[in-house]
Amino acid sequence: MVSRGTKVPEMRRLPLTTVIATLALSACAHAGSGLALPPTGSLSSDAATMRSTPAMSVAAPGERLDALPGMPQSGTLAERLNALPGVPQPMCVQPQKGDGNAGCQVQQNRLFGAKPNPNTPYAQIWGYKPRDLAAAYAIPASGNAGTVAIVDAYDDPAVESDLAVYRSAMGLPACTSANRCFRKVAVQGTPNADAGWSAEIALDVEMVSAACAQCSIVLVEAQSASMHDLAKAVGVAASYHPDAISNSYYAPEDPSQRALERTYAVSGSVVTVAAGDGGFGTTYPASSPNVVAVAATSLLPDVSARGWGEGVWSGTGSGCSTIAAKPAWQTDKGCAGRTVADLAVVGDPRTGVAMYTSIAPAGVQTGWIVAGGTSVGAPFVAGLYALAGNAKSIVAPQRLWTSRAQLNPITVGSNGTCPASIAYLCTATTSYSGPGGNGSPRGLAAF
């Protein structure tokens, strides 16, 4: 386990024998599915062997097919999602109920070896890139040049340089402290560095950039991962009057968290929160009625009119709060408390996003990696709210519950097993479901 507040040495690239063994296990797990995995060489991290797999029978050719070689090539969406290969690896220490701490949720897909060279050519970087996400969610190329504040714990000393690598590779304009696009704020002196939270911070600033390239970013670093310190950081973030405040962390629900509620009720700013990576079950602050709780999906190209198929990621959080009362704008009948989630966006590490980080915990590769977790969604959705420019005048979660027709429906997949009477809390339906929320973004109309 990684001790909080301690920078952990980086891990060297996995030996080829380890990668081969991992692929063999994945192939065994999906034997009999009729869905072939790619040759081992196509997943090597060496540039010489970087090749995209042949075009899938269910999708048109294009960049999105090269992003994640080895994806299932045929079958229904449910069959393809069930056959996804991948070896997700959490990068953060997980909190325990009652200890007062929160955990970050970034994960790496170890099936795709890291590319340690920051100057790796664009075509050789695995994972969905900004233009893939723009296509999947119909995001306009321009909009409001808003501000997103990001709240995280501890310090990432490499955040600005890692952000520069990402934005340069993705063809996005520079966002630096020098041009006043980026600002890093410490709540109480400069906090200690932490390897897991550094990776989380890198993912957060990059996902805001992917959603809104013209937005300014204010990173607020809490002194520690305690919920008290993180809530204090939310207050500092609010003082900058951003369009949105992103929170990619969670803690098991506890009655003591009710005392923090006033902090997350930020007037004039949308507060987005990751729904958690532990499968069915609610976490805080996602269960706060004052935030937009963002769940995670699995995202694959297909030949539908949209061009993409999307289903519930089995690791996403969802459920019925035990500490928060039900807000009047929630209309589901099976939960007496606040229902999680409100919205969903890609986060399955097996269909993950491209990310660059130069700092990671021991046992986790650095460089260009394929990343996931509900940590993808909170900053990405925060960027969409800033891009839309309506954050100052809306009650964001309530708006999502009345805008389902303007979202992509999530009708496949589950994150656990629930009694039949409340099956929607963990299984996708044709309308609202806990793990799929009211759907995924389709342009900015719901924001």
Side-chain angles (χ1 to χ4, degrees):
M1 300 294 282
V2 182
S3 60
R4 292 185 175 86
T6 302
K7 182 176 177 180
V8 181
E10 300 170 10
M11 174 189 174
R12 293 176 295 178
R13 184 187 308 170
L14 288 173
L16 182 59
T17 53
T18 301
V19 175
I20 293 173
T22 297
L23 290 169
L25 288 173
S26 296
C28 290
H30 301 302
S33 66
L35 300 169
L37 294 177
T40 300
S42 71
L43 294 183
S44 166
S45 59
D46 295 328
T49 59
M50 170 59 191
R51 298 290 185 270
S52 63
T53 54
M56 300 177 188
S57 62
V58 296
E63 174 187 321
R64 59 205 173 104
L65 302 182
D66 298 334
L68 293 162
M71 295 297 99
Q73 299 180 25
S74 62
T76 66
L77 176 59
E79 289 169 341
R80 295 175 70 206
L81 294 178
N82 287 335
L84 283 170
V87 187
Q89 179 180 25
M91 300 169 73
C92 297
V93 173
Q94 304 308 301
Q96 300 301 311
K97 184 176 177 62
D99 71 0
N101 292 315
C104 50
Q105 298 164 107
V106 57
Q107 299 191 33
Q108 178 197 13
N109 186 344
R110 292 182 62 180
L111 185 63
F112 299 92
K115 304 279 187 175
N117 182 3
N119 298 315
T120 296
Y122 180 90
Q124 296 177 13
I125 297 171
W126 283 315
Y128 292 136
K129 305 177 179 77
R131 64 180 68 170
D132 297 307
L133 299 174
Y137 297 117
I139 303 169
S142 61
N144 179 58
T147 299
V148 176
I150 297 169
V151 172
D152 278 307
Y154 301 112
D155 177 46
D156 177 7
V159 58
E160 190 166 355
S161 58
D162 285 357
L163 179 60
V165 170
Y166 178 85
R167 292 180 70 109
S168 175
M170 299 302 154
L172 305 178
C175 185
T176 67
S177 53
N179 67 13
R180 299 185 178 182
C181 172
F182 175 78
R183 180 169 185 171
K184 183 165 77 168
V185 178
V187 175
Q188 185 181 341
T190 302
N192 293 330
D194 177 272
W197 282 90
S198 288
E200 176 65 60
I201 290 169
L203 177 63
D204 290 352
V205 296
E206 290 166 16
M207 288 304 98
V208 169
S209 301
C212 184
Q214 61 264 49
C215 284
S216 299
I217 300 172
V218 179
L219 171 64
V220 181
E221 295 181 332
Q223 192 70 18
S224 77
S226 78
M227 281 301 306
H228 176 78
D229 281 352
L230 286 162
K232 185 185 298 184
V234 171
V236 172
S239 71
Y240 287 87
H241 306 291
D243 293 85
I245 302 173
S246 171
N247 302 269
S248 288
Y249 55 85
Y250 81 102
E253 279 196 318
D254 185 273
S256 65
Q257 293 156 353
R258 294 192 184 103
L260 304 176
E261 264 309 291
R262 68 182 65 182
T263 303
Y264 291 94
V266 180
S267 177
S269 298
V270 176
V271 180
T272 63
V273 176
D277 291 2
F280 177 64
T282 50
T283 59
Y284 192 84
S287 62
S288 165
N290 296 304
V291 310
V292 172
V294 185
T297 66
S298 308
L299 181 70
L300 287 171
D302 66 15
V303 292
S304 64
R306 178 187 172 194
W308 299 82
E310 197 166 19
V312 167
W313 173 44
S314 60
T316 191
S318 73
C320 182
S321 175
T322 61
I323 66 170
K326 193 168 200 67
W329 40 264
Q330 286 197 323
T331 56
D332 63 306
K333 305 299 184 183
C335 171
R338 198 274 204 243
T339 307
V340 176
D342 302 311
L343 184 74
V345 73
V346 65
D348 182 348
R350 299 171 303 169
T351 64
V353 298
M355 168 192 171
Y356 182 82
T357 182
S358 60
I359 300 175
V364 180
Q365 298 171 313
T366 59
W368 288 104
I369 64 175
V370 175
T374 51
S375 287
V376 172
F380 186 79
V381 170
L384 295 184
Y385 276 108
L387 185 65
N390 300 318
K392 306 297 184 184
S393 60
I394 63 172
V395 179
Q398 179 177 0
R399 184 184 179 98
L400 292 171
W401 281 72
T402 58
S403 303
R404 195 172 301 149
Q406 298 166 320
L407 299 167
N408 298 307
I410 307 297
T411 62
V412 174
S414 68
N415 65 346
T417 302
C418 300
S421 60
I422 55 170
Y424 76 95
L425 290 178
C426 61
T427 301
T429 72
T430 56
S431 56
Y432 173 83
S433 72
N438 291 289
S440 68
R442 189 171 73 214
L444 301 177
F447 301 93

